[in-house]
């Protein structure tokens, strides 16, 4: 059966600054923790970096024109802190703000709603030199950066997002070390998680002050964990995983605090410095919750296992749209954010099939179609779904995987960096134009 999202639902794509922008000689910028991380041996699989990326910084007008051609109504991008305040705190760079000013104007002229995220992982290296997110002062620096950006662009932005996936920043950046800045300490991760939440709260205050009419919120990622068996040890392992990965951020933000069972299990109170007023600051009402969903996990007490029978993407992530529907219903029933936007959903695929010079990514189309059906089912069940943003507009720098994992609806040709829509881009353009998602 085909489904119809109706008129009050938007479609678009998402990207982030470090993954697509690259640098331009006319925009002096500071180093970010990802520049430093890329320079370390063995951290990024193809030894690449973000110096050129998709060269969006120079080709943004072409990218906006392409989005328009593809009927996209909304564009989620992130602002690079090192372009706006090269040293993290202090002097604001007019050239950096000018770039986002031009991007926003270009989008508005094309009738595309700009949907910015203030922090998508590219922390200025100068702040990391002082301890980065392990230090509470970094939250204050984020608040000042927020004011600088919102004061400049606020007259044209209807929705602000503070952070992208604080879970990933804390867990992969500070606990497992897979992401910048590459620390491996649970204590560091716990402190960072709290500082990110405090920074979110301070950022919300600054957005409210500088843009009282705009909506604001945060983007969280969710990977629902299911126990591998009914054995109590597996059930307990999945429960702790859910607390740490799926409840740690939404709980405090929606006024329910940290999940107590995990707080105990992880012994967090040893290290986290919760000050008077923090939990109230973090719980200040949001207007919209951004949900990033890619996959679920199947957890056993001896580590993660995944059923081999299910289809996986190039990331090794199981394709499981039913978990997306269940997740959205769970968020609605347990936390009731006023509005939910899917801020990321998509798949890395091999992209080896070519027809008529175009990547014929029927597997990606199938992934998008099935997940859109899941979103529609949640909407039908009463979840206040407002829109869906596919990850990603184009192939880009996929963090520790460099350019080896391709999530784009649009291919970026090697060397020329020319943009070539894949079959999925044309398919999604039709969905955006009609609001209708066809069955297979
Ligand atoms: C998310 C990130 C995004 C992209 C996708 C695949 O965790 O927010 O930048 O890397 O995963």
């Amino acid at each position: 059966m085909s489904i119809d999202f109706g008129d009050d639902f938007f479609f678009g794509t998402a990207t982030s600054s470090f993954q697509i922008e690259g640098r331009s000689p006319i925009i002096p910028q500071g180093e970010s923790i990802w520049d430093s991380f890329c320079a370390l041996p063995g951290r990024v699989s193809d030894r690449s970096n973000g110096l050129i990326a998709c060269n969006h910084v120079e080709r943004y007008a072409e990218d906006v024109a392409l989005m328009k051609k593809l009927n996209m109504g909304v564009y989620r991008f992130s602002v690079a802190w090192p372009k706006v305040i090269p040293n993290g705190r202090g002097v604001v760079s007019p050239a950096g703000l000018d770039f986002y000013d031009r991007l926003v104007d270009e989008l508005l002229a094309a009738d595309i709603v700009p949907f910015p995220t203030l922090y998508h992982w590219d922390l200025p290296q100068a702040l990391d030199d002082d301890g980065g997110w392990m230090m509470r002062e970094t939250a204050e620096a984020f608040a000042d950066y927020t004011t600088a950006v919102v004061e400049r662009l606020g007259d044209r932005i209807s929705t602000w997002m503070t952070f992208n996936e604080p879970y990933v920043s804390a867990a992969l950046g500070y606990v497992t070390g897979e992401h910048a800045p590459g620390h491996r300490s649970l204590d560091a991760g716990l402190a960072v998680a709290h500082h990110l939440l405090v920074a979110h709260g301070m950022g919300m205050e600054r957005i409210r002050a500088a843009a009282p009419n705009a909506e604001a919120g945060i983007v969280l990622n969710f990977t629902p964990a299911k126990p591998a068996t009914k054995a109590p040890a597996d059930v307990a392992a999945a429960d702790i995983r859910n607390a740490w990965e799926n409840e740690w951020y939404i709980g405090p933000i929606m006024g329910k605090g940290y999940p107590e069972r995990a707080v105990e299990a992880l012994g967090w109170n040893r290290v986290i410095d919760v000050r008077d007023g923090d939990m109230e600051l973090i719980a200040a009402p949001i207007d919209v919750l951004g949900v990033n969903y890619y996959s679920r996990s199947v957890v056993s007490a001896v580590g993660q296992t995944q059923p081999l029978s299910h289809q996986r993407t190039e990331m090794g992530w199981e394709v499981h749209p039913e978990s997306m529907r269940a997740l959205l219903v769970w968020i609605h029933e347990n936390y009731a954010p006023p509005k939910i936007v899917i801020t990321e959903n998509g798949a890395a695929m091999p992209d080896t099939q070519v027809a008529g010079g175009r990547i014929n990514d029927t597997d990606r189309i199938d992934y998008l179609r099935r997940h859109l059906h899941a979103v529609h089912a949640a909407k039908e069940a009463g979840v206040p779904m407002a829109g869906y943003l596919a990850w990603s507009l184009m192939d880009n720098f996929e963090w520790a995987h460099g350019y080896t994992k391709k999530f784009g609806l649009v291919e970026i040709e090697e060397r020329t960096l020319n943009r070539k829509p894949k079959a999925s881009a044309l398919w999604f353009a039709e969905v955006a134009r009609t609001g209708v998602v066809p069955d297979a």
Side-chain angles (χ1 to χ4, degrees):
M1 232 183 40
S2 68
I3 48 169
D4 191 341
F5 276 92
D7 293 336
D8 58 343
F9 191 88
F10 60 79
F11 296 93
T13 57
T15 63
S16 87
S17 47
F18 192 84
Q19 293 178 277
I20 66 162
E21 283 180 357
R23 295 181 180 218
S24 156
I26 61 163
I27 308 176
Q29 70 177 78
E31 300 289 307
S32 82
I33 53 174
W34 271 95
D35 291 306
S36 312
F37 196 70
C38 289
L40 297 174
R43 297 304 186 97
V44 173
S45 71
D46 61 358
R47 303 181 192 185
S48 60
N49 56 51
L51 293 180
I52 298 174
C54 305
N55 195 19
H56 172 75
V57 75
E58 287 175 348
R59 299 175 76 147
Y60 72 92
E62 178 189 344
D63 291 334
V64 172
L66 181 56
M67 285 185 244
K68 185 170 175 63
K69 242 190 186 156
L70 296 174
N71 308 320
M72 295 295 110
V74 174
Y75 176 49
R76 174 173 178 240
F77 61 96
S78 77
V79 177
W81 189 344
K83 277 190 170 74
V84 174
I85 306 183
N87 285 321
R89 51 168 69 93
V91 183
V92 175
S93 157
L97 283 175
D98 286 349
F99 169 66
Y100 295 104
D101 208 71
R102 290 194 295 274
L103 173 63
V104 165
D105 284 347
E106 194 79 21
L107 287 162
L108 291 172
D111 267 330
I112 300 169
V113 175
F115 192 98
T117 302
L118 288 159
Y119 184 83
H120 198 127
W121 306 354
D122 41 0
L123 183 74
Q125 180 57 46
L127 293 176
D128 191 60
D129 293 342
D130 293 337
W133 289 114
M134 293 186 286
M135 311 304 290
R136 193 178 167 100
E137 290 73 23
T138 300
E140 281 149 26
F142 174 77
D144 290 343
Y145 154 69
T146 297
T147 295
V149 177
V150 178
E151 282 188 344
R152 178 68 182 269
L153 305 178
D155 56 336
R156 285 154 290 159
I157 299 296
S158 48
T159 310
W160 290 97
M161 290 289 171
T162 55
F163 283 82
N164 177 70
E165 302 189 352
Y167 165 79
V168 174
S169 288
L172 276 67
Y174 293 83
V175 183
T176 69
E178 291 159 82
H179 279 187
H183 295 287
R184 295 198 177 98
S185 151
L186 176 59
D187 286 7
L190 288 163
V192 165
H194 188 66
H195 295 152
L196 289 168
L197 282 166
V198 168
H200 158 75
M202 291 179 172
M204 288 291 292
E205 280 187 344
R206 299 300 188 93
I207 295 167
R208 299 301 190 205
N213 297 322
E215 300 203 321
I218 186 168
V219 172
L220 302 178
N221 62 295
F222 297 87
T223 307
K226 182 183 174 291
T229 71
K230 292 199 176 96
D234 287 351
V235 173
D239 184 47
I240 288 293
R241 174 75 69 89
N242 274 320
W244 170 233
E245 200 164 332
N246 300 313
E247 297 169 37
W248 202 264
Y249 299 85
I250 195 173
I253 288 165
M254 298 308 294
K256 291 192 157 188
Y258 288 110
E260 266 170 38
R261 61 202 193 282
V263 166
E264 242 167 71
L266 297 167
W268 72 288
N269 34 0
R270 286 179 289 120
V271 272
I272 301 189
D273 173 23
V274 179
R275 304 204 183 153
D276 276 358
D278 278 3
M279 298 316 282
E280 292 74 16
L281 176 73
I282 295 166
I286 57 170
D287 306 304
V288 49
L289 176 70
V291 171
N292 292 356
Y293 173 87
Y294 290 93
S295 187
R296 66 166 182 172
S297 63
V298 178
V299 174
S300 74
V302 290
Q304 188 163 327
T305 55
Q306 278 197 344
L308 287 174
S309 59
H310 283 106
Q311 192 196 345
R312 315 246 197 130
T313 69
E314 286 288 285
M315 298 295 281
W317 298 345
E318 183 187 0
V319 178
H320 208 267
E322 165 53 21
S323 291
M324 186 185 206
R325 188 205 58 80
L327 166 72
L328 293 169
V329 170
W330 172 82
I331 291 173
H332 175 59
E333 285 177 352
N334 287 279
Y335 301 99
K339 189 155 80 183
I340 299 179
V341 172
I342 301 301
T343 34
E344 290 181 26
N345 175 242
M349 291 297 181
D351 286 355
T352 45
Q353 292 228 55
V354 179
R358 191 184 295 295
I359 289 180
N360 191 22
D361 51 344
T362 50
D363 43 7
R364 183 175 287 105
I365 293 174
D366 191 58
Y367 180 99
L368 296 173
R369 185 181 54 77
R370 293 172 63 195
H371 286 80
L372 280 161
H373 274 261
V375 174
H376 189 263
K379 188 170 181 277
E380 292 292 289
V383 183
M385 301 304 308
Y388 175 96
L389 306 175
W391 184 270
S392 177
L393 172 64
M394 52 193 163
D395 292 338
N396 57 47
F397 177 81
E398 181 46 40
W399 310 113
H401 302 282
Y403 297 92
T404 65
K405 301 290 183 227
K406 300 182 187 307
F407 278 89
L409 303 184
V410 173
E411 174 193 1
I412 300 289
E413 231 176 33
E414 249 178 88
R415 285 189 300 279
T416 65
L417 304 185
N418 284 340
R419 279 68 168 143
K420 286 169 69 182
K422 304 176 190 177
S424 58
L426 306 187
W427 179 88
F428 192 54
E430 225 11 53
V431 170
R433 190 180 67 80
T434 58
V436 173
V437 182
D439 209 359

